[in-house]
């Protein structure tokens, strides 16, 4: 598992972007960056305004789409339309 302090600014930006996306799972963030759900939440708390963080936590807490194990079988991996434009994204 990677340490938060070892992340580059552009990696932190991408983690925040992926965390904010409703259909991107915490598992996908872990697979790409080696950052756990708990670490993702810590990054979001540190980098976002307090009100934005509270709104995000309220929205994602218990959300099935943020956890692969809770998703319905018919929900397949989400692929953003911007995915190819993101150079750090390992999933293509």
């Amino acid at each position: 598992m990677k340490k938060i302090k070892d992340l580059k600014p552009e990696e932190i930006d991408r983690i925040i972007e992926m965390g904010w996306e409703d259909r991107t799972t915490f598992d996908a963030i872990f697979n790409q960056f080696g950052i756990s759900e708990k670490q993702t939440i810590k990054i979001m708390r540190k980098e976002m305004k307090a009100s934005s963080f509270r709104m995000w936590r309220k929205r994602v807490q218990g959300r099935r789409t943020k956890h692969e194990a809770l998703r319905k079988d018919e929900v397949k991996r989400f692929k953003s339309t911007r995915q190819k434009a993101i150079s750090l994204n390992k999933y293509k």
Side-chain angles (χ1 to χ4, degrees):
M1 197 173 321
K2 207 171 196 181
K3 293 184 180 184
I4 295 173
K5 67 179 184 167
D6 296 335
L7 293 169
K8 298 175 188 168
E10 55 270 11
E11 290 176 314
I12 290 173
D13 287 345
R14 181 63 184 139
I15 290 166
I16 292 168
E17 186 177 14
M18 291 173 77
W20 192 259
E21 294 168 347
D22 289 340
R23 299 196 65 148
T24 302
T25 65
F26 290 115
D27 300 311
I29 295 170
F30 179 79
N31 289 335
Q32 186 168 345
F33 296 100
I35 298 297
S36 69
E37 177 181 351
K38 191 174 184 177
Q39 289 173 304
T40 300
I41 293 167
K42 190 173 184 176
I43 289 169
M44 300 289 276
R45 178 178 281 122
K46 181 179 179 231
E47 299 293 329
M48 297 171 72
K49 291 190 304 182
S51 61
S52 297
F53 174 76
R54 283 191 304 271
M55 180 177 61
W56 173 76
R57 278 303 286 156
K58 186 176 180 180
R59 196 179 83 235
V60 300
Q61 219 162 14
R63 182 174 284 250
R64 289 176 185 241
T65 55
K66 291 302 278 184
H67 303 274
E68 280 184 26
L70 299 178
R71 283 183 168 190
K72 295 179 181 175
D73 290 337
E74 62 268 10
V75 177
K76 304 297 181 209
R77 186 176 69 83
F78 176 73
K79 182 174 178 180
S80 171
T81 56
R82 295 183 47 218
Q83 193 163 5
K84 289 183 181 178
I86 300 167
S87 60
L88 295 173
N89 199 340
K90 294 179 184 175
Y91 295 109
K92 300 232 178 199

